[in-house]
Amino acid sequence: MLPLPKLSLYGFQHILAFYAGAVIVPILLGNALGLSHDELVYLINADLLTCGIASIIQALGIWRIGARLPLVQGVTFTAVSPMIAIGIGAGGGTAGLLVVYGAVITAGIATFLFAPFFSKLVKFFPPVVIGTILTIIGLTLIPVGLQDAAGGADLMGEAAYGSPKNLAYALGTLLFILLVVRIGKPFLSSVAVLIGLVFGTAVAWLLGDADFGAVGRADWFGVSTPFHYGMPKFELFPILAMTIVMLITMVETTGDVYAIGEITGKKVDGETVASALRADGIATVLGGVFNSFPYVAFAENIGLVRMTRVMSRFVVVAAGVFMIILGLLPKAGSLVAAIPHPVLGGAAVAMFGMVATVGIQILGKVDLREERNALILAVSLGVALLPTTVAPFFDRMSDDLQAVLDSGITLGGLTAILLNLFFNVFTRRTAMEIDWDEIERDGPADSQLGTAER
């Protein structure tokens, strides 16, 4: 336990590294589902509030819940595409959110219950599966960022969509982020996306293309209440899709726990992993109840721990308190919601592109000259790109089934898992295990750009 001034300073530093990745998920989902500005603000505040609670649970620990390690929790990027597919399939707007929340709550319960058994199944997720899934996540999310770069889904079909001005904002934001990474110190590079969003929004405001009028009208204080949009709807195929997403995030969390254990010098065993996964499950259930989303440990904050060498888990508890405070300030959420679509899109392209890069990095450790591994990658990529590149491909399927099939992440991830079982597990072939410590050492974890896979 550090003195209060240092605790506050280091905790706020975690907020800076975490903030851009934390708020981008509700913004992307809200924009895709056609939510109003006020509804989008509510999602952002609910997300920050739940992030704070989840981080405190993970770092502080309650009973056998929480790894008791300096792990900051945030909404997983893995869930973005599936949630958009589920929400749009359910009619969009707040009606779509109710189906999303039903799936999120159920998947969170499944994660909590399955946590003690998962450590025994990690061997079924070799590098060819993890690398393929992360590559798919990046490739299927990039179009979401590109759509915002052109002006957002609500402008499709209008003259303003893809206008030179919008493309200039997106490109300018992206180039500024790259410039910060190029000339900045390590910590400055780790918050490059956040700085880029501020820069792009400031330029848009100076040119009259960013409206902050809603910030002045927003309340100073507001609490996210359970089931704000109504009681969740529990539908089979959306639940299946979100459960697959949580299965993928469980692998992510396992890697994060081993990485932070290596950095802090704390021995990590199966029970530590199970406790961390239980915290993910509880946080995801809370997310569904308090109008937020599935949660996972943020790797950018792991990189920050390694860089600063401040290993106290109470620093993350302090960061959690700051998040809760931000989640109670609608004006802060309204300020974030005012970020223009093209600016957001420029930053998102960089973040999601790096997700694919991390996947490619892991695939570099796989012998792709071996035909079975090559087929797992090839077929999974092809299947994942079906709903992304040929939007009407599954239009003749039932609405419920489309919730699974219209998500490239769910479809491609499930394909990679099943093909690995078919080629490498049922035939009793030995699959190379993933070395999470080596990935964390070699990977660009100190950079916000390099750890945006969440």
Side-chain angles (χ1 to χ4, degrees), residues 36-394:
S36 68
H37 178 86
D38 289 344
E39 290 167 338
L40 186 55
V41 170
Y42 199 93
L43 282 189
I44 294 169
N45 284 105
D47 175 30
L48 290 170
L49 176 68
T50 316
C51 281
I53 297 171
S55 297
I56 291 172
I57 292 173
Q58 186 71 274
L60 198 58
I62 302 171
W63 182 59
R64 297 169 70 182
I65 304 171
R68 292 175 170 82
L69 290 166
L71 289 168
V72 173
Q73 299 289 103
V75 177
T76 172
F77 283 171
T78 312
V80 174
S81 180
M83 288 192 300
I84 290 174
I86 291 170
I88 292 176
T94 56
L97 280 179
L98 296 181
V99 179
V100 169
Y101 290 145
V104 167
I105 290 171
T106 309
I109 294 172
T111 301
F112 182 87
L113 297 176
F114 193 56
F117 310 102
F118 184 78
S119 59
K120 300 179 178 64
L121 300 179
V122 174
K123 62 183 179 181
F124 296 138
F125 296 89
V128 66
V129 173
I130 300 303
T132 298
I133 290 174
L134 286 175
T135 303
I136 287 170
I137 292 171
L139 292 178
T140 55
L141 287 179
I142 287 173
V144 178
L146 291 174
Q147 182 163 271
D148 271 325
D154 54 331
L155 288 184
M156 288 189 71
E158 298 184 16
Y161 187 80
S163 67
K165 179 189 288 186
N166 287 340
L167 298 182
Y169 282 135
L171 182 61
T173 301
L174 177 58
L175 291 177
F176 186 81
I177 290 171
L178 297 177
L179 181 65
V180 171
V181 173
R182 172 65 180 83
I183 66 175
K185 299 294 184 182
F187 176 70
L188 197 62
S189 296
S190 73
V191 295
V193 171
L194 179 62
I195 296 172
L197 288 171
V198 172
F199 169 80
T201 303
V203 171
W205 176 73
L206 289 173
L207 297 177
D209 292 317
D211 181 12
F212 293 100
V215 179
R217 297 189 297 271
D219 295 331
W220 278 104
F221 180 80
V223 179
S224 178
T225 55
F227 308 122
H228 174 75
Y229 298 104
M231 290 304 295
K233 296 181 179 179
F234 299 89
E235 298 182 4
L236 177 61
F237 286 105
I239 288 173
L240 175 62
M242 199 55 60
T243 302
I244 294 171
V245 167
M246 290 307 296
L247 183 65
I248 296 169
T249 62
M250 290 171 83
V251 181
E252 286 186 60
T253 294
T254 300
D256 290 336
V257 172
Y258 277 108
I260 198 68
E262 176 73 18
I263 293 168
T264 60
K266 179 176 178 178
K267 182 181 178 182
V268 170
D269 53 20
E271 182 53 37
T272 307
V273 173
S275 298
L277 294 175
R278 288 191 191 98
D280 278 0
I282 287 291
T284 300
V285 172
L286 288 174
V289 172
F290 285 96
N291 321 290
S292 190
F293 311 106
Y295 285 87
V296 72
F298 258 42
E300 47 262 55
N301 294 87
I302 295 175
L304 184 60
V305 171
R306 184 176 67 179
M307 183 174 63
T308 62
R309 310 304 296 174
V310 178
M311 302 177 190
S312 170
R313 61 194 173 105
F314 296 102
V315 169
V316 172
V317 174
V321 172
F322 281 126
M323 287 182 231
I324 291 173
I325 293 172
L326 286 172
L328 297 174
L329 302 175
K331 279 192 182 296
S334 184
L335 186 65
V336 173
I339 297 174
H341 287 276
V343 172
L344 181 67
V349 167
M351 296 177 73
F352 297 150
M354 284 306 299
V355 177
T357 302
V358 173
I360 293 169
Q361 175 195 348
I362 294 176
L363 287 172
K365 302 177 183 298
V366 178
D367 182 9
L368 292 177
R369 294 171 297 180
E370 210 285 322
E371 187 177 18
R372 298 185 182 191
N373 287 336
L375 278 172
I376 291 173
L377 173 60
V379 175
S380 300
L381 282 176
V383 170
L385 291 176
L386 281 176
T388 304
T389 56
V390 189
F393 198 90
F394 296 112

